[in-house]
Amino acid sequence: MKTEYIMNLSKKIAVTAAVGFFTSFSFAQSVQDGINFVDSQKYAKAKQNFTDLINQDPKDANNYFYLGNTFLTQFDPNFDSAQESFNKGLAADPKSYLNKLGLASVKLGKGDKSAVAEIQQIVKDSREKDAEVLFRAGEALTLFEKNSSPDLAITFLNKAIEKAEKKGVPANYYYSLGDAYRIKKDPGNAMTAYDKAEAVAKNKASVYTRKGTLWIAAQQWQQAKTNIDKAIAVDPTYAPAYKALAGFNIKYQKNAEATQNLINYTKYADEDPYTQLEIAKLYFTNEDYANAKKTLDAVFDKVDDVIKYRLRAYIQYGDGDYVGAQQNIETFLSKAEKSRIQPSDDGLQGLIAAGLAKDEKDAAKKAQLEALSQQKIAVAKAAKDETLKWDEELAKVKGGINSASVDQGPTSPAIEALKKKIVENPSDTDSLYKLATEYQNVQNWDGAILTWSKMSSALPDWAPAYYSQGYAYQQAKNNDMAKASYEKFISLVKPAEIEASKPSLGYAYFFVAFMEKDTNPEKAKQDVAKSLEYDPTYQDAINLQNTLNK
């Protein structure tokens, strides 16, 4: 599984700021429309909405703030566009507290902690008379989790709520209060704030989605699923609910279901390039590399965020294009601010180096790349980074297993037809099973390994997929990975399945014992005994047991 080092899965699923419904008559309905578009993650429509308002009344400074804030609250903030809009707002009204807060938010988002004191001063200058200024100050302090100030945010948000009580507290005031408590890791008060939002929100889907992601963070899966299902039930077109459901299924390793969730999310969100970039990240996290590449390619030239180079590097790595992957990760590292560089970037560089070393003819360069690979992967492992399973990925690279190696291997008309069916319906586990079997029939072991891997991702508790993957690894002469797959198979066989699985269990235990006979003979004795327990007549196991007992 990939984690927040590729894409911050929890941040925008859990915290979509600048949402709700204003009750003050000073806000036109069209402003509410724009804010609702942001809540629904229709950022392109929100930007168009606020741009139209600016064109209608260029002297209204508030509209520049809402446009700029949309650029801040999208998945990957566009600080330059946000700052430009806030500056235009101040040109229209040099006293605009909202646009001053916007500029301070840009500084905070870039990691300048002095912006916290600046926000405090803006609130002080406003004399705390305007609930919206208090709210936006609190919101600003929750927008960027790494540069947040949740305690101060809670203070400002509670003051905003108190100030707004006479006319009715907007739901987004409570949402942001809940978000601040989440950052503070206070789920109880976060849920209380969301409960209050539910009481006043016109769109309950927003509340249920937030509650669902809060339960995901707490690893309370049933409560999470219940709330997300409620969100979709009350508003089947509410895009963030499908994104949250995709997050749930990715964490639960239900990759096929997650892909369908992302298809629905794409359907109900809009085609804002930054939203599409986020979708590409999610497809990659879900190990759906074909859709990740297709989505990224469609918007690559339309987005400025350097994260696109990191994502392309991962996709190219998955395709076995190590030269292209190296170029893109180096581009990312040269352009990204230091705060965005993660231990996973070292890990990826290590895997790429291993891939380059595999085909390097010069002995000195090969040794240098192999040493670099070990060094870089060690950085990721020391940081306990779980973006990728580093040892498993390294084994795949050394074995030459990737999408390119699959395509270079044997194929058949049946394989090509099944590949098309799976592209059309990634959740078709019957076709995945048939494709893996067809790869085995033509002895395309790389294809079989990767397809059985997809099968185990779609059905993580289905033991036979791991047995078949172990067999494919064994045929590909990658015994270490074969051993790991057989061990996974053994761990997943349920008591009710033991009788039917005895021959497979007998062989799996024998193979594990054979691999351990030199390094851990006592463990090998235990495993070969289990092998003979399931298949007493298996001659190879009998011979191994005799050897071990000498």
Side-chain angles (χ1 to χ4, degrees):
M1 285 296 299
K2 291 85 182 169
T3 60
E4 64 275 5
Y5 300 116
I6 297 177
M7 41 70 62
N8 191 340
L9 182 65
S10 64
K11 178 183 175 185
K12 291 298 181 181
I13 291 176
V15 180
T16 302
V19 297
F21 303 86
F22 290 98
T23 56
S24 171
F25 290 107
S26 63
F27 292 92
Q29 180 63 42
S30 55
V31 172
Q32 292 183 16
D33 288 343
I35 293 167
N36 294 343
F37 285 141
V38 172
D39 178 47
S40 299
Q41 296 178 0
K42 301 182 192 303
Y43 296 109
K45 289 184 177 179
K47 292 169 189 173
Q48 187 60 55
N49 184 87
F50 294 127
T51 299
D52 289 344
L53 285 175
I54 289 169
N55 291 335
Q56 292 169 22
D57 187 1
K59 294 182 180 180
D60 188 340
N62 287 346
N63 293 328
Y64 294 101
F65 168 77
Y66 293 117
L67 176 60
N69 210 47
T70 302
F71 283 109
L72 286 186
T73 56
Q74 64 188 26
F75 296 109
D76 290 295
N78 186 329
F79 294 118
D80 291 340
S81 294
Q83 184 168 314
E84 179 184 357
S85 191
F86 297 139
N87 280 328
K88 288 180 179 179
L90 284 171
D93 178 7
K95 295 182 180 180
S96 173
Y97 295 119
L98 288 179
N99 284 291
K100 289 178 180 179
L101 285 171
L103 289 177
S105 298
V106 170
K107 288 176 64 175
L108 190 59
K110 289 182 175 181
D112 186 345
K113 292 293 184 70
S114 69
V116 174
E118 193 172 320
I119 289 169
Q120 286 180 290
Q121 186 60 50
I122 294 167
V123 171
K124 183 178 179 181
D125 291 343
S126 75
R127 299 182 182 179
E128 301 186 6
K129 290 182 177 181
D130 189 334
E132 181 67 0
V133 171
L134 286 164
F135 164 63
R136 294 298 173 180
E139 177 198 60
L141 295 167
T142 65
L143 277 179
F144 312 103
E145 190 166 346
K146 289 183 179 179
N147 301 310
S148 62
S149 184
D151 288 323
L152 184 58
I154 290 166
T155 297
F156 287 152
L157 291 167
N158 278 323
K159 287 182 178 181
I161 289 167
E162 183 180 355
K163 185 73 66 175
E165 280 179 344
K166 290 182 180 179
K167 295 181 179 179
V169 181
N172 55 323
Y173 285 27
Y174 290 121
Y175 292 157
S176 287
L177 181 61
D179 298 342
Y181 278 118
R182 287 177 78 147
I183 294 171
K184 194 179 177 181
K185 303 191 184 306
D186 184 347
N189 277 317
M191 190 63 76
T192 298
Y194 293 151
D195 286 338
K196 291 179 179 178
E198 183 179 350
V200 298
K202 293 181 180 178
N203 189 347
K204 307 293 184 186
S206 293
V207 184
Y208 294 137
T209 300
R210 282 167 174 78
K211 287 185 174 182
T213 58
L214 185 59
W215 285 120
I216 288 176
Q219 298 186 8
Q220 297 295 317
W221 307 115
Q222 188 56 54
Q223 292 96 322
K225 183 68 162 52
T226 297
N227 275 279
I228 295 170
D229 286 346
K230 285 168 71 175
I232 293 171
V234 298
D235 185 356
T237 68
Y238 187 66
Y242 294 102
K243 186 167 184 284
L245 188 56
F248 171 87
N249 282 322
I250 288 170
K251 283 180 177 288
Y252 217 66
Q253 297 186 18
K254 293 185 176 181
N255 295 45
E257 290 91 333
T259 288
Q260 188 57 54
N261 302 149
L262 292 174
I263 290 170
N264 284 330
Y265 175 67
T266 305
K267 177 181 177 182
Y268 294 117
D270 63 19
E271 295 186 358
D272 181 80
Y274 288 89
T275 302
Q276 295 301 306
L277 180 63
E278 180 71 6
I279 292 169
K281 293 179 196 175
L282 286 167
Y283 274 129
F284 181 87
T285 304
N286 194 43
E287 301 179 2
D288 188 344
Y289 305 124
N291 274 321
K293 184 177 186 301
K294 178 181 176 182
T295 307
L296 178 63
D297 286 349
V299 299
F300 193 83
D301 294 330
K302 299 177 183 178
V303 294
D304 298 324
D305 197 298
V306 297
I307 197 78
K308 66 183 182 180
Y309 296 106
R310 177 198 272 165
L311 181 56
R312 178 163 277 180
Y314 272 100
I315 293 171
Q316 289 172 319
Y317 158 74
D319 284 340
D321 179 5
Y322 301 119
V323 173
Q326 183 183 41
Q327 290 173 346
N328 275 289
I329 193 62
E330 287 177 352
T331 300
F332 168 76
L333 292 170
S334 68
K335 292 177 177 288
E337 294 182 8
K338 289 184 179 180
S339 62
R340 302 190 72 179
I341 296 173
Q342 304 287 350
S344 59
D345 296 319
D346 284 286
L348 178 59
Q349 287 177 285
L351 294 174
I352 292 169
L356 293 170
K358 186 170 59 68
D359 298 323
E360 179 56 59
K361 305 302 181 187
D362 185 286
K365 290 182 179 178
K366 187 181 186 74
Q368 186 178 19
L369 285 167
E370 288 176 343
L372 179 64
S373 173
Q374 294 296 329
Q375 174 194 339
K376 291 288 188 179
I377 290 173
V379 171
K381 291 173 66 177
K384 300 189 184 303
D385 181 276
E386 297 181 351
T387 301
L388 294 175
K389 298 175 181 176
W390 301 110
D391 290 333
E392 183 175 329
E393 289 294 324
L394 184 59
K396 287 180 183 178
V397 171
K398 288 183 174 180
I401 301 172
N402 52 52
S403 299
S405 70
V406 173
D407 292 339
Q408 291 167 8
T411 188
S412 69
I415 287 172
E416 296 306 316
L418 286 163
K419 284 165 65 177
K420 290 179 181 178
K421 285 187 69 176
I422 291 166
V423 169
E424 294 170 0
N425 182 12
S427 62
D428 185 354
T429 52
D430 182 60
S431 292
L432 281 172
Y433 175 84
K434 290 177 180 176
L435 178 60
T437 303
E438 286 296 329
Y439 274 131
Q440 290 186 175
N441 290 341
V442 301
Q443 297 187 9
N444 185 334
W445 302 116
D446 287 1
I449 288 165
L450 291 187
T451 308
W452 285 123
S453 179
K454 290 180 180 180
M455 189 72 170
S456 60
S457 293
L459 300 172
D461 296 328
W462 194 57
Y466 295 97
Y467 183 87
S468 297
Q469 189 178 44
Y471 173 77
Y473 269 123
Q474 194 177 344
Q475 296 302 312
K477 297 181 172 53
N478 190 334
N479 288 340
D480 289 338
M481 292 304 297
K483 175 176 177 286
S485 297
Y486 285 135
E487 286 175 326
K488 185 69 173 179
F489 162 72
I490 290 168
S491 72
L492 288 175
V493 175
K494 299 177 177 62
E497 300 167 345
I498 288 177
E499 188 63 34
S501 302
K502 280 186 174 181
S504 298
L505 284 166
Y507 183 78
Y509 271 111
F510 161 74
F511 187 87
V512 172
F514 184 83
M515 291 294 293
E516 291 176 333
K517 63 183 175 60
D518 296 324
T519 57
N520 192 348
E522 290 304 315
K523 176 71 163 51
K525 289 179 183 179
Q526 297 173 19
D527 286 327
V528 78
K530 291 292 291 185
S531 174
L532 290 169
E533 178 184 327
Y534 291 116
D535 189 353
T537 63
Y538 185 29
Q539 191 60 50
D540 286 343
I542 293 171
N543 294 342
L544 179 60
Q545 187 177 58
N546 291 336
T547 300
L548 289 167
N549 288 333
K550 284 182 180 178

